[in-house]
Amino acid sequence: MFVRLQVARTEKQLDDVFALRYQVYVAERGKFSATSNAEKAIVDRYDAMPNVANIVAYYGDTAIASMRINKDSSIGLPAEEYFDFSSIRAELEQQSLEQHLRKPLLVSGSMLAIHKEWRNKRNVIFALFKTAAGVMHDWDATHIIGSISEETLSLYGRIGFDTVDEPTWNERVKDTLVPILAPFERVFDWAYGDISRKIAPFWLDNFCGKFERLLLSPGDIIFSQNDNAENAYAIDEGWVSISRTDNDSNEMVLANLSRGELFGELALFDNEPRSATATAISNVGLIVLNKRYLIDMIQANPEKLIQLLTHFSKRVRALDELAMVQAFAPQTNRVLFALNQLWRSAAVDRKNPDVRMAKVGPAQIAKSAQIRENDVLAVLEAEKVKGTLDYGKNNVRFFSSPSVLQ
């Protein structure tokens, strides 16, 4: 079953958010004053402001995580309920004047609530932050402020925040709070930097604040061949296999895709059923692109269509190349073609930038190359002797590009 993240837009979704806050902060952690929670929901005036968004994560029909983000307003931001950020505001204003930058626009994140059973699963917390960053991007934010629990300080430090004052006990929320600040571009680079270097700018520039997200486990089916189609997907984390089954039930793996790859785009333009099946090979984080947002955007900005045509022309060329290899190339070349495709899409090892890692094993490569697994193993062993790669049952480590096709 998927974990789905989205901006809360319905009455039920908002009720789920407010109830989850109570469950996490009061029932589980004993925070906040009991007198304010008679209805078992935590709500304040910042939930009623025009520029507010609540990100909510569902597992099935159950809300498991949420966080709120606010755009600056006449009443300030939630973080300023607990700390005085006036000197920070003045400093940012002065910097913008001296450096001829645009006027600062502050946003704030607050009310982060994750059910205890999900705090260490499927990167739910980071998916919340990335979804929130997309909305903040649409708001043209320049800086993010927050007043966070001291318990979560290291977490926020990992995504680019700095502390701006000493921790202080707050009696009302029954917690030690820390004021934090980050330039928005730093947080956005953490959230989208790697993927923005692979996915066409068109998608981030026009859809960032509309993204939903899915978190999947190995073996989860994203969509099946002949399903009705409404969404396209971009891979944020992990590996996805795209396969097709013919009338005789023979399966052909068309591609194994990794971070930054876009798939299922034809769903955005026609009403035809899916032509292939998409399956999570590893733990996967997906960005969901909805058809209705694309249609609205193209109608408002017809000139954007040329960017889409460029994208699709590249995809058609890649499929033509795959078809030629599958039809005419000898077995060794089929494997080398599949390995070169993997090498181009493999993730760079964070500890060793000269190494690339693909979480795909010989069995998946055999399906992709449409030959026996023993033939794949023979080519892998030859490449291993040459020093271009090493491999295991479920992964391939590339030390350089594989051999060229013969």
Side-chain angles (χ1 to χ4, degrees):
M1 191 182 299
F2 302 168
V3 174
R4 178 180 290 274
L5 295 96
Q6 62 193 99
V7 176
R9 304 187 189 279
T10 68
E11 180 179 354
K12 178 187 181 303
Q13 290 167 352
L14 289 172
D15 285 343
D16 288 344
V17 168
F18 303 149
L20 180 64
R21 291 179 191 172
Y22 182 92
Q23 173 66 26
V24 171
Y25 283 105
V26 179
E28 293 180 8
R29 303 177 61 196
K31 309 295 184 183
F32 287 93
S33 301
T35 55
S36 63
N37 300 305
E39 297 181 2
K40 294 190 175 181
I42 297 179
V43 185
D44 63 25
R45 57 181 178 167
Y46 295 101
D47 289 303
M49 297 304 293
N51 291 308
V52 60
N54 281 283
I55 315 300
V56 60
Y58 282 96
Y59 184 66
D61 295 326
T62 303
I64 60 169
S66 70
M67 73 174 296
R68 179 179 67 189
I69 53 175
N70 287 84
K71 186 178 179 180
D72 207 359
S73 68
S74 58
I75 65 171
L77 291 165
E80 295 173 297
E81 290 287 298
Y82 308 106
F83 288 94
D84 182 3
F85 283 86
S86 58
S87 62
I88 298 294
R89 286 181 175 272
E91 182 179 344
L92 295 176
E93 291 279 357
Q94 186 63 32
Q95 286 179 0
S96 69
L97 291 173
E98 292 176 352
Q99 301 175 25
H100 304 288
L101 304 173
R102 66 185 180 93
K103 186 177 180 180
L105 175 59
L106 273 62
V107 296
S108 179
S110 59
M111 294 292 181
L112 175 64
I114 302 178
H115 192 281
K116 61 183 178 181
E117 294 181 2
W118 287 92
R119 285 173 198 158
N120 296 307
K121 290 184 180 179
R122 299 201 193 183
N123 291 326
V124 169
I125 189 168
F126 289 138
L128 283 172
F129 289 163
K130 290 178 179 181
T131 307
V135 178
M136 293 174 178
H137 175 271
D138 274 10
W139 287 348
D140 289 325
T142 64
H143 295 81
I144 310 172
I145 62 173
S147 296
I148 62 165
S149 171
E150 189 176 28
E151 298 172 0
T152 61
L153 183 57
S154 62
L155 174 66
Y156 284 88
R158 291 174 60 184
I159 64 176
F161 283 88
D162 300 311
T163 59
V164 294
D165 206 340
E166 295 298 318
T168 302
W169 173 261
N170 186 283
E171 183 61 28
R172 181 160 69 90
V173 299
K174 307 292 184 184
D175 203 356
T176 299
L177 303 180
V178 184
I180 57 174
L181 168 74
F184 176 71
E185 63 182 18
R186 186 191 297 169
V187 175
F188 188 78
D189 186 65
W190 166 82
Y192 290 97
D194 287 345
I195 196 171
S196 69
R197 288 182 274 275
K198 293 186 177 182
I199 193 172
F202 172 85
W203 302 106
L204 290 181
D205 292 345
N206 295 290
F207 288 88
C208 206
K210 307 295 191 302
F211 288 156
E212 295 181 3
R213 287 177 178 269
L214 297 178
L215 304 179
L216 305 95
S217 298
D220 283 346
I221 304 296
I222 302 157
F223 56 75
S224 296
Q225 189 172 332
N226 298 319
D227 280 354
N228 292 327
E230 286 294 328
N231 302 313
Y233 303 89
I235 303 173
D236 187 36
E237 299 287 348
W239 286 79
V240 171
S241 173
I242 307 298
S243 62
R244 182 180 296 166
T245 303
D246 64 20
N247 293 332
D248 296 322
S249 299
N250 298 311
E251 183 186 24
M252 178 173 71
V253 176
L254 303 177
N256 291 307
L257 307 177
S258 66
R259 191 173 196 188
E261 298 282 353
L262 189 68
F263 64 95
E265 311 100 296
L266 289 179
L268 302 177
F269 296 95
D270 61 29
N271 295 315
E272 296 298 316
R274 296 288 189 187
S275 60
T277 296
T279 307
I281 298 175
S282 62
N283 288 329
V284 170
L286 294 180
I287 293 171
V288 182
L289 310 173
N290 190 272
K291 181 176 183 176
R292 70 179 184 274
Y293 293 129
L294 177 68
I295 292 174
D296 291 345
M297 188 273 298
I298 291 295
Q299 289 176 341
N301 303 280
E303 69 279 4
K304 300 283 189 180
L305 191 58
I306 190 64
Q307 299 178 38
L308 284 181
L309 293 176
T310 300
H311 167 78
F312 280 110
S313 69
K314 292 179 180 178
R315 183 56 61 91
V316 169
R317 289 179 186 275
L319 288 175
D320 283 347
E321 184 181 4
L322 173 63
M324 291 291 289
V325 170
Q326 297 286 16
F328 301 111
Q331 291 183 340
T332 298
N333 276 15
R334 291 187 191 182
V335 180
L336 289 174
F337 180 84
L339 288 177
N340 276 279
Q341 292 286 91
L342 277 181
W343 178 78
R344 284 195 289 270
S345 61
V348 175
D349 191 310
R350 294 180 180 178
K351 296 181 179 179
N352 186 349
D354 294 327
V355 175
R356 301 187 187 189
M357 171 68 79
K359 294 183 179 179
V360 178
Q364 288 91 357
I365 296 172
K367 283 187 177 182
S368 180
Q370 289 293 286
I371 65 174
R372 296 175 303 175
E373 187 173 345
N374 284 342
D375 294 320
V376 172
L377 290 170
V379 175
L380 287 172
E381 282 296 320
E383 291 297 313
K384 183 176 179 180
V385 170
K386 294 177 184 177
T388 62
L389 59 79
D390 195 2
Y391 69 96
K393 182 179 180 181
N394 298 306
N395 63 78
V396 179
R397 290 171 57 84
F398 293 99
F399 309 118
S400 63
S401 61
S403 301
V404 297
L405 302 184
Q406 301 299 316

